[in-house]
Amino acid sequence: MSDGTPADLFFDAAIGLLRRVRDEEAGAITAAGTLLADTVTAGGRLFAFGAGHSSLAAQDVVYRAGGLALMNLLTVPGVVGVDVTPATLGSALERVDGLASAVLDTSPLRAGDVLVIISLSGRNALPVEMAQGARALGVKVIGVTSVAYAAETKSRHASGTFLKDHCDIVLDSKIAVGDAELALDTIPAPFAPASTVVTTALLQAVMATTAATLADRGIEPPLLRSGNVDGGHEWNGRVMTEYGDRIFYHH
């Protein structure tokens, strides 16, 4: 590592990645935002899924002040974050064949909906089968992943494919294999992951595009306000009433 504190170097790395995704993924971000806007306009529903720490980015766009009220979390018990004990169980469940099919069979997903699937490596059975199964239902899939993993690692799915191979739109987070931005001679392992920073920013850029695209079409985007500002709860109540048939976290 060169001059600068570890904190400075991490910020520099994260800012560099954010600039890359802004510049290199602009077309995919526009396409994803447009797809979500098209789906909202057509009466479809929006869902997001991620396993482990990838779930953080999915949760960041659900029931969020300033966010789209119609984004729902597709949950898989045991893999939403690190809320299971031992935490390694979540990682093991990502490699279980058939789990995605069981979830999809009991989910409200249907043709005409959109599912955002977040998986940094995209190599495990769960995200691959989730994308395959969703598309078989007629659901459009937006994948948020690091394409580098497909070039530098092997798939853990029987098909040998990755999440990126089963998506209508792919957003590449540009995160290097291993998800650690810093290294020091005095520390034996690389450290300081930036995938959450970059992936959440990518998805918020998509949400911003969706809102603006709807507004350009003369449609008020179904946005939530903070419950901590005056009138926020009343505003959100109106939105949830109007779009109640497409909001699944409120029932």
Side-chain angles (χ1 to χ4, degrees), residues 52 154 209:
K154 290 184 178 179
T209 303

Side-chain angles (χ1 to χ4, degrees), residues 74-77 97-107 126 129-130:
L74 182 66
T75 58
V76 178
D97 293 332
L99 180 56
S101 297
V103 170
L104 288 171
D105 287 347
T106 56
S107 80
L126 185 54
E129 292 181 0
M130 190 74 78

Side-chain angles (χ1 to χ4, degrees), residues 5-147:
T5 68
D8 289 340
L9 292 167
F10 176 75
F11 282 123
D12 288 344
I15 290 166
L17 285 162
L18 290 170
R19 284 181 173 142
R20 280 192 66 195
V21 297
R22 179 193 63 188
D23 296 340
E24 298 173 21
E25 297 302 297
I29 290 168
T30 298
T34 302
L35 174 58
L36 294 185
D38 291 345
T39 304
V40 171
T41 303
R45 294 90 58 80
L46 312 178
F47 297 84
F49 165 76
H53 286 94
S54 289
S55 179
L56 297 175
Q59 293 178 57
D60 191 57
V61 294
V62 175
Y63 187 51
R64 186 67 194 257
L68 286 174
L70 303 192
M71 186 60 71
N72 300 278
L73 188 67
L74 182 66
T75 58
V76 178
V79 305
V80 183
V82 289
D83 59 339
V84 292
T85 304
T88 50
L89 173 61
S91 299
L93 289 172
E94 288 186 67
R95 300 192 289 272
V96 173
D97 293 332
L99 180 56
S101 297
V103 170
L104 288 171
D105 287 347
T106 56
S107 80
L109 273 165
R110 67 188 186 195
D113 294 345
V114 172
L115 174 60
V116 179
I117 301 177
I118 303 128
S119 174
L120 179 61
S121 73
R123 69 193 295 231
N124 289 309
L126 185 54
V128 171
E129 292 181 0
M130 190 74 78
Q132 288 177 317
R135 292 180 94 186
L137 292 172
V139 173
K140 296 289 188 182
V141 174
I142 298 171
V144 188
T145 187
S146 171
V147 172

Side-chain angles (χ1 to χ4, degrees), residues 152-231:
E152 300 177 37
T153 69
K154 290 184 178 179
S155 170
R156 287 181 174 145
H157 188 249
S159 67
T161 61
F162 289 75
L163 169 61
K164 73 172 187 64
D165 300 315
H166 306 283
C167 298
D168 297 280
I169 298 169
V170 175
L171 297 169
D172 183 5
S173 65
K174 317 291 181 182
I175 300 294
V177 172
D179 192 18
E181 294 301 320
L182 304 185
L184 273 177
D185 293 341
T186 54
I187 299 178
F191 59 103
S195 61
T196 303
V197 173
V198 176
T199 304
T200 54
L202 258 174
L203 281 178
Q204 290 297 351
V206 171
M207 298 299 128
T209 303
T210 302
T213 301
L214 287 168
D216 287 344
R217 297 175 181 177
I219 300 169
E220 180 186 328
L223 297 171
L224 295 173
R225 288 182 180 270
S226 171
N228 296 312
V229 300
D230 290 343

